[in-house]
Amino acid sequence: SIYWSGIAWYVPCLASLEIIQELCRKENLTCKSLGITNRNLKSYEVEYLCDYKVEEGTDYFLVKWKGWPESSNTWVPLKNLKCPLLLEYFHSDKDEYLSRLKQGKAVTVKNHIKALKPAVSQYIVKKAKQRIALQRWKEELNRKKNHKGMILVENTVDLEGPPLDFYYINEYKPAPGINVIHGIATGCECSDCPAEKCCPEEAGFFLAYNKQKKLKIQPGLPIYECNSYCRCGPECPTRIVQKGTPYSLCIFRTNDGRGWGVKTLQNIKTKSFVMEYVGEVITSEEAERRGQLYDNQGNTYLFDLDYDSDEFTVDAARYGNVSHFVNHSCDPNLQVFNVFIDNLDLRLPRIALFSTRTIKAGEELTFDYQMKGSLDMTSDSVDAVSPARKRIRTVCKCGAVCCRGYLN
């Protein structure tokens, strides 16, 4: 990939990974992204195990060496391998494949060599490559995120790897000509928010949070937080959304055909802030154009910013955060609220997701793409925050008792 004027351009490389690795080694060059380091430039480190056989009573494993092309793979006796975790992965992947096929055992071939069927070893290699790719993706996500909670990645369902056309961002990415920061020049003078007249009251609304930092306003009402010009410090009780996700979350592959999903790794109390919904901020006209394309793919990443008007839309299809992977449910555990911090333009609220009830660790996080969640919203508040309209009806797979049958 190359970067020019803040835009990422991605072009295919004509050289394979193996060729690039060989060239690096010839020139004694290290490259962390290629797996070539000072540690293994002239030495060998097991990256993963590809195959297994028994020859003359000795167990052998076919080894892929880290930073070396697959053409350098070699058979190594088990007694020479010092990689217990990779051996564990190898056997678990093999058993998983065989159990799914309900078949067997290693087959015996000529000259008394016991070996795995090619399909089994191919699956093991694919799982190993997937595991490495997901690990790299997890590391990338945690490098880019700017919040306290960690991000984990998990796929125990299929061979799907990281999305190829998704880029992690922490805040809105405005399209050319759109300004999402409409320079606030003043802030509150409170020394003890919200004991004195504070930002929410200045805007004509009540403080959104109680002393336990839990939401105390009804759905449909906006949240105003102290901004960068306020006198109060980072521990101000009105600064919640701006601090980012406080929980560790896991992007995981669902086993019911809904693709990726998100689950919490920690207990979440009711009415707590969980995450923001971010993406590209585009005009409604552009959203209409993109929507025609997304409908044919069954995507639902367009989110209308229609708190005050319908001029802008958030598109999280290519640029977004963890919320990109949160699935829809007709009986959700997250609720959407409009938030204003350093931008008081009513056309451009920030979108925050709060818990509607207590959520246990390991539970999937969901929100209603039509914003008709479990919090008795009025029709006016439903219209205030709703995803962009869809043109093709998408079947809902949420599985809730109250499922409406369609996402739109």
Side-chain angles (χ1 to χ4, degrees):
S1 63
I2 57 176
Y3 295 85
W4 178 65
S5 299
I7 302 175
W9 296 85
Y10 292 84
V11 294
C13 181
L14 298 181
S16 68
L17 177 63
E18 292 191 358
I19 293 175
I20 296 174
Q21 287 175 332
E22 288 179 337
L23 290 174
C24 284
R25 292 189 181 282
K26 282 183 180 180
E27 300 297 328
N28 288 325
L29 299 175
T30 61
C31 179
K32 185 177 180 181
S33 62
L34 293 176
I36 304 176
T37 63
N38 287 323
R39 180 180 176 183
N40 65 23
L41 185 60
K42 297 296 183 182
S43 61
Y44 292 85
E45 177 184 352
V46 179
E47 185 170 22
Y48 56 85
L49 304 174
C50 309
D51 204 348
Y52 166 82
K53 69 179 180 180
V54 177
E55 189 173 37
E56 296 181 355
T58 301
D59 294 337
Y60 287 89
F61 285 87
L62 184 60
V63 173
K64 166 65 172 69
W65 302 104
K66 190 171 185 179
W68 292 84
E70 292 182 9
S71 57
S72 300
N73 291 1
T74 53
W75 288 96
V76 178
L78 173 59
K79 64 181 181 180
N80 293 346
L81 292 175
K82 310 296 181 184
C83 50
L85 181 59
L86 296 181
L87 284 165
E88 181 181 333
Y89 285 151
F90 181 91
H91 289 299
S92 64
D93 293 341
K94 178 196 66 176
D95 293 342
E96 177 185 317
Y97 181 85
L98 294 177
S99 64
R100 286 182 180 180
L101 291 185
K102 296 182 180 178
Q103 70 181 17
K105 298 177 179 181
V107 296
T108 302
V109 294
K110 292 182 179 179
N111 59 14
H112 305 290
I113 297 175
K114 195 175 183 182
L116 295 178
K117 287 185 176 180
V120 181
S121 58
Q122 289 170 9
Y123 176 80
I124 290 172
V125 170
K126 289 178 181 178
K127 284 295 292 184
K129 290 181 177 180
Q130 178 200 53
R131 189 175 289 113
I132 292 170
L134 293 179
Q135 175 64 24
R136 288 177 177 169
W137 186 38
K138 184 192 80 170
E139 293 171 355
E140 177 189 354
L141 295 176
N142 283 284
R143 280 197 308 270
K144 291 182 176 180
K145 58 96 173 171
N146 64 357
H147 51 77
K148 179 181 177 182
M150 294 295 293
I151 304 173
L152 274 68
V153 179
E154 174 186 288
N155 185 353
T156 60
V157 175
D158 54 30
L159 293 170
E160 186 74 16
L164 298 177
D165 196 26
F166 174 75
Y167 310 99
Y168 194 94
I169 57 176
N170 293 292
E171 56 190 23
Y172 283 161
K173 177 183 174 63
I178 298 177
N179 181 15
V180 298
I181 301 295
H182 284 202
I184 288 181
T186 60
C188 72
E189 296 295 326
C190 306
S191 58
D192 182 22
C193 301
E196 306 165 44
K197 191 171 184 181
C198 197
C199 296
E201 190 174 347
E202 288 284 357
F205 294 93
F206 294 108
L207 175 68
Y209 313 114
N210 60 22
K211 293 181 179 180
Q212 289 74 42
K213 300 182 180 181
K214 302 297 183 293
L215 206 60
K216 66 177 185 180
I217 62 172
Q218 292 298 311
L221 294 177
I223 295 172
Y224 282 85
E225 294 193 358
C226 287
N227 60 63
S228 54
Y229 282 89
C230 292
R231 181 181 174 185
C232 56
E235 298 308 313
C236 169
T238 70
R239 300 181 185 272
I240 302 296
V241 171
Q242 60 194 262
K243 290 184 178 181
T245 300
Y247 304 102
S248 291
L249 306 173
C250 179
I251 300 171
F252 75 103
R253 194 72 176 169
T254 63
N255 58 9
D256 55 6
R258 291 179 298 125
W260 294 101
V262 178
K263 60 185 175 182
T264 176
L265 300 176
Q266 300 173 253
N267 293 331
I268 300 175
K269 295 182 179 179
T270 184
K271 300 183 184 299
S272 298
F273 169 65
V274 179
M275 70 180 76
E276 268 194 86
Y277 191 92
V278 302
E280 289 182 271
V281 178
I282 58 178
T283 64
S284 294
E285 290 78 10
E286 174 63 11
E288 189 71 20
R289 186 190 70 81
R290 295 188 187 185
Q292 297 285 353
L293 300 175
Y294 295 162
D295 285 347
N296 294 327
Q297 303 166 5
N299 291 334
T300 52
Y301 297 115
L302 293 175
F303 201 114
D304 287 338
L305 297 179
D306 52 7
Y307 172 73
D308 183 65
S309 64
D310 59 356
E311 293 183 46
F312 303 110
T313 296
V314 176
D315 181 5
R318 296 186 70 219
Y319 296 91
N321 61 1
V322 177
S323 65
H324 167 98
F325 302 97
V326 175
N327 281 314
H328 161 85
S329 176
C330 298
D331 184 21
N333 51 26
L334 299 180
Q335 175 69 56
V336 173
F337 282 81
N338 292 288
V339 184
F340 298 94
I341 306 174
D342 280 317
N343 180 8
L344 299 183
D345 187 340
L346 297 181
R347 301 172 303 166
L348 291 164
R350 290 165 67 165
I351 303 300
L353 298 171
F354 285 78
S355 58
T356 62
R357 56 175 174 79
T358 298
I359 306 174
K360 295 182 179 179
E363 188 175 346
E364 182 176 0
L365 301 174
T366 59
F367 73 96
D368 189 336
Y369 289 2
Q370 292 188 32
M371 300 306 106
K372 298 175 183 176
S374 57
L375 289 186
D376 294 329
M377 297 179 66
T378 65
S379 59
D380 289 339
S381 63
V382 170
D383 291 336
V385 279
S386 61
R389 292 185 300 275
K390 296 296 172 185
R391 302 149 198 85
I392 300 174
R393 301 207 77 184
T394 304
V395 175
C396 180
K397 300 178 182 179
C398 75
V401 175
C402 58
C403 180
R404 297 187 295 270
Y406 294 91
L407 295 182
N408 48 353

